[in-house]
Amino acid sequence: MLIAFSLAVSQRNAIDRDTNAFLTEQHIADQIVALTYRQQLEAFRFVDRHDEARMREFRDLGDEVYSQMRRYLFHELSAAARLHVERMKELHQGFEVVAQRVFDLAQRGQSDSARRRLADLDQRAESLDAAVEQFLTARREQRSALQLRHEEVSRRVGLGFATAGALMFVLLVLLAGYLRRRVLGPLDALAAAAGRLGAGDLDARVAPQRYAEFDEMAAGFNRMADSVQSARETMEAQNEEIRQTLDHLQQAQAELVQHEKLSAMGQMLAGLAHELNNPLAGVLGMAELIRAELAESPDADARAMATTLAEPLEREALRARSLVRNLLSFARRPSGVVEPVDLTAAVSTALGLCAHSFAQAGKTLRVELRPHLRVMADAQKLQHAIVNVVNNALDAVIAADGRGLTIVGAPTGRHMVRIDFDDDGTGFADPQSALLPFYTTKAAGKGTGLGLSLVEQFVNEFGGTVTVSNRSEGGARVSLLLRASEGIEVARDGAARGIALPATHREAAPSAAAGGDSDAAAPIRPRVLVVDDEPTLRLIQHRLLTNAGMEVVLAANGAEARDALVREPFDLVISDLRMPGEMDGRDLLAWLAQERPALAARSLLLTGDMGGVASVPLPVPMDRVVPKPFSSAEYVKRVRQALGAMQK
């Protein structure tokens, strides 16, 4: 039956395939005829008006006709059908020969002779149309005969299928009777006993059976019933304990689900931040180039635009870069290693994610940290702890209509550093319970009760402690006491100094034209190959390196770069990490390591994934990685360092 069914499906597919092939051939024929008549029309127009565009259009249409005819070569054609196709090609070639004579006569000014030739052109077009129709007629007849054969085979297959089905039905009837006597009776007895056992009748048993297989199955069922009966008392005794445990687990599960949702949102935002780096690099690079060129313009209005338009654009791009880098750093997976961490950098990264919320709520966020403080911690977990404390403080300040939050950090003795988070919010209802898991004073759905508990867990892992209290003047204080790393430096005057918040931070951006270096250009211009799939970033890098006195060649992907490296020598290769196509940045560097090891050893790598959660180890050391988005001075400096290493 399976063979018969397979043959039927095969015949059906063959018929559908032949039908689709004929429709395709019909469409090709229509295209050939339509394109030929369009050629004829262009010839008529050329005689009336000698326009070279008409002649080019005529030839382009002829190329398309030839391309359509070539499509027939990929179809299964008989020898007669292929002769028809060859006949069509000959007629079209004759058509184009006559048309060329018309063009020659018209160009020599013999318009009357050209028009007389047009009649011959019309006849040849009609001959081609007739040849196409003859080809389709021959193909139609061939497919009709083939379809008749398919239908005959299908009829025979159907007859065989029906016969096999009848035989199968008879066998099934005989088999059903046998199974009823041998199998179904014992199974009914077993099912009835199982039903009674399931309904709570623990005395349900199956009587011994005639056949050994079913008798063994009945004995096994009876042993199972004995085990169920003996385990019933034990299960009932454990149910009460399970019910109590389940109540606690359901509460914990609800809170953890919310925590996982927040974690998943962080993962998604980290991936989005990485994808923003490419367009952000283009915006920052273009802004620097525009500012540099406007600043050097002799026009005073243009120089003013460099200050009023280009500099704010560059400043906002730098601000966006800082926010994206903070987000990527915050979302990175914890390393699990307690090591020296720059406290100022950790606080700055965390506040880069919270400062906007304070600004929107109209609340102040003041930070006073002693410079050069380094503590023993896992950087990511420390950032998470700071974010949790700051977010809790913001909620409390908003609820009490307070002013804001103050963060103060300073050494306490030689071996510890203390960070105080003081707010003027609602304070703690029960400070002694504030660090317990699932404790929260927020409304349902507003908090998980895990924030400060996680803070304490993280800080304890670092070898520190967390204390919470209510301030006498109102509000709350959360204090983190962390182990100091070796070599804490304190300002000579001993005074605490504020750090600039990420939202207002602005990085220096030297002129792109200057390239961050005033050294004179070398007598021989270095040749640099830039590989990037982003057109804007290729343009920016070309402009920066050209202004820096270098000869630049651009490639849009790894394959183009490889071809360029095979053709000509280069002093340096700068490649993007992620590129579409058969060869990305990793593949290109691997190829360079085999074919040009010296060049591979100094190549630079551009990437926007500097710490994302999905990162994999980079194929080059960090001193040969330029993170996106980059400033002009930073980029040119890294390129010159790489070229300087070559000269050494």
Side-chain angles (χ1 to χ4, degrees):
M1 291 179 68
L2 290 175
I3 294 174
F5 180 75
S6 176
L7 288 174
V9 171
S10 176
Q11 292 298 317
R12 180 74 266 170
N13 292 339
I15 293 173
D16 292 342
R17 186 170 59 253
D18 291 339
T19 301
N20 292 335
F22 177 76
L23 293 176
T24 301
E25 292 172 2
Q26 177 69 54
H27 177 72
I28 295 173
D30 294 339
Q31 290 291 319
I32 291 173
V33 173
L35 292 169
T36 302
Y37 280 119
R38 285 179 60 189
Q39 281 188 286
Q40 184 180 3
L41 178 60
E42 294 300 329
F44 275 93
R45 290 177 175 174
F46 183 87
V47 172
D48 293 335
R49 181 179 179 183
H50 301 167
D51 188 352
E52 291 298 325
R54 303 292 185 190
M55 184 179 296
R56 287 194 300 272
E57 179 66 16
F58 178 88
R59 291 171 180 169
D60 292 341
L61 291 171
D63 292 340
E64 181 63 22
V65 170
Y66 180 73
S67 176
Q68 292 292 336
M69 288 184 181
R70 281 182 55 84
R71 292 177 60 186
Y72 283 128
L73 300 179
F74 297 97
H75 291 241
E76 295 181 2
L77 302 177
S78 64
R82 291 189 180 276
L83 288 176
H84 279 292
V85 173
E86 292 298 325
R87 174 62 178 164
M88 290 159 52
K89 291 171 61 177
E90 292 175 0
L91 289 173
H92 183 261
Q93 290 174 354
F95 172 84
E96 290 194 328
V97 169
V98 173
Q100 186 60 48
R101 292 174 182 170
V102 171
F103 292 152
D104 294 339
L105 291 172
Q107 287 176 332
R108 291 198 299 266
Q110 300 177 15
S111 299
D112 293 337
S113 298
R115 288 188 177 88
R116 286 194 297 272
R117 283 284 187 177
L118 288 175
D120 187 16
L121 191 65
D122 188 29
Q123 291 177 358
R124 290 185 177 272
E126 291 176 355
S127 298
L128 178 59
D129 190 1
V132 171
E133 185 59 33
Q134 290 174 3
F135 167 77
L136 292 177
T137 300
R139 293 294 288 164
R140 196 179 295 112
E141 292 174 353
Q142 181 183 354
R143 282 187 171 80
S144 297
L146 187 59
Q147 185 172 5
L148 290 175
R149 290 197 296 272
H150 286 325
E151 291 174 353
E152 177 62 22
V153 173
S154 298
R155 185 184 66 80
R156 294 179 180 177
V157 170
L159 180 60
F161 188 80
T163 302
L167 292 174
M168 183 65 70
F169 177 79
V170 172
L171 291 174
L172 288 176
V173 170
L174 296 175
L175 181 60
Y178 174 80
L179 292 177
R180 177 64 184 173
R181 293 190 305 272
R182 180 71 183 266
V183 178
L184 295 184
L187 289 180
D188 288 341
L190 180 62
R196 294 197 306 273
L197 184 63
D201 183 6
L202 299 181
D203 294 326
R205 299 292 185 272
V206 179
Q209 300 295 314
R210 175 181 177 184
Y211 300 105
E213 296 87 351
F214 289 103
D215 186 62
E216 184 178 351
M217 182 176 63
F221 176 83
N222 293 336
R223 289 192 298 270
M224 179 193 69
D226 293 338
S227 299
V228 170
Q229 190 172 19
S230 64
R232 179 70 174 267
E233 292 80 6
T234 305
M235 292 176 61
E236 290 178 349
Q238 293 175 344
N239 280 344
E240 184 61 28
E241 182 181 355
I242 292 175
R243 290 191 192 95
Q244 295 176 358
T245 304
L246 184 60
D247 291 339
H248 294 291
L249 288 176
Q250 286 176 341
Q251 179 182 3
Q253 182 184 24
E255 301 298 344
L256 288 175
V257 166
Q258 180 66 20
H259 183 70
E260 288 299 321
K261 289 180 180 178
L262 295 176
S263 177
M265 182 64 71
Q267 300 282 335
M268 182 188 70
L269 289 177
L272 178 60
H274 166 255
E275 294 302 323
L276 285 174
N277 273 331
N278 273 337
L280 185 57
V283 172
L284 177 59
M286 285 298 183
E288 290 183 326
L289 290 173
I290 292 173
R291 177 183 59 79
E293 294 196 7
L294 289 177
E296 296 176 357
S297 174
D299 187 354
D301 291 338
R303 292 194 301 274
M305 289 175 64
T307 303
T308 59
L309 295 180
E311 283 191 6
L313 177 61
E314 181 183 348
R315 182 169 59 252
E316 292 304 309
L318 288 169
R319 177 187 172 192
R321 181 180 75 169
S322 178
L323 290 174
V324 169
R325 288 183 176 177
N326 285 340
L327 182 57
L328 286 173
S329 177
F330 183 77
R332 186 187 305 144
R333 290 187 179 93
S335 65
V337 178
V338 176
E339 58 188 357
V341 174
D342 187 334
L343 184 60
T344 300
V347 172
S348 178
T349 298
L351 297 189
L353 305 175
C354 305
H356 183 65
S357 298
F358 274 79
Q360 280 191 323
K363 308 302 179 183
T364 61
L365 181 57
R366 190 163 61 90
V367 183
E368 296 179 0
L369 293 180
R370 290 281 181 89
H372 312 300
L373 291 180
R374 295 177 66 81
V375 297
M376 299 302 296
D378 179 311
Q380 278 66 48
K381 288 186 177 180
L382 179 59
Q383 293 166 13
H384 276 274
I386 296 171
V387 168
N388 283 351
V389 175
V390 172
N391 284 339
N392 283 349
L394 176 60
D395 292 337
V397 170
I398 293 175
D401 196 21
R403 293 185 300 276
L405 171 69
T406 299
I407 303 174
V408 179
T412 58
R414 292 181 54 84
H415 304 294
M416 302 300 289
V417 172
R418 180 188 179 98
I419 314 173
D420 292 329
F421 298 81
D422 294 341
D423 66 67
D424 56 351
T426 56
F428 293 108
D430 183 6
Q432 294 182 348
S433 303
L435 297 177
L436 296 177
F438 307 116
Y439 172 83
T440 180
T441 58
K442 299 177 184 177
K446 296 295 185 181
T448 65
L450 293 172
L452 290 180
S453 174
L454 289 175
V455 171
E456 184 182 40
Q457 175 185 334
F458 292 160
V459 173
N460 288 344
E461 290 177 8
F462 309 154
T465 58
V466 179
T467 58
V468 298
S469 61
N470 288 325
R471 303 168 64 213
S472 59
E473 59 268 43
R477 167 175 288 180
V478 177
S479 299
L480 309 184
L481 192 62
L482 302 171
R483 290 187 298 134
S485 67
E486 295 295 331
I488 289 183
E489 299 179 14
V490 181
R492 291 184 178 179
D493 58 4
R497 298 179 182 176
I499 65 171
L501 296 182
T504 60
H505 180 63
R506 183 183 188 278
E507 300 180 30
S511 169
D517 196 331
S518 59
D519 294 342
I524 300 177
R525 300 177 65 190
R527 302 190 77 251
V528 180
L529 176 62
V530 174
V531 191
D532 203 306
D533 61 305
E534 293 285 344
T536 302
L537 293 182
R538 291 200 302 272
L539 174 62
I540 291 170
Q541 295 178 74
H542 184 274
R543 194 71 170 266
L544 291 175
L545 297 178
T546 302
N547 290 344
M550 304 177 194
E551 182 180 348
V552 184
V553 176
L554 302 179
N557 52 57
E560 287 187 15
R562 179 187 58 199
D563 295 341
L565 288 163
V566 171
R567 291 193 308 267
E568 49 189 322
F570 290 95
D571 299 310
L572 183 65
V573 175
I574 307 173
S575 176
D576 190 15
L577 176 62
R578 295 185 181 181
M579 294 182 292
E582 64 181 41
M583 177 178 283
D584 61 5
R586 292 179 184 275
D587 297 331
L588 178 60
L589 287 178
W591 182 88
L592 275 175
Q594 291 184 350
E595 304 295 332
R596 307 285 193 277
L599 186 58
R602 59 177 179 270
S603 297
L604 296 180
L605 190 67
L606 303 182
T607 178
D609 187 2
M610 294 297 295
V613 294
S615 296
V616 296
L618 295 173
V620 297
M622 290 303 300
D623 60 354
R624 288 167 50 203
V625 176
V626 181
K628 298 179 185 177
F630 47 77
S631 66
S632 300
E634 172 190 7
Y635 176 81
V636 175
K637 177 182 177 182
R638 298 294 292 275
V639 172
R640 285 181 169 168
Q641 287 175 345
L643 291 172
M646 174 194 70
Q647 294 171 356
K648 292 179 183 180

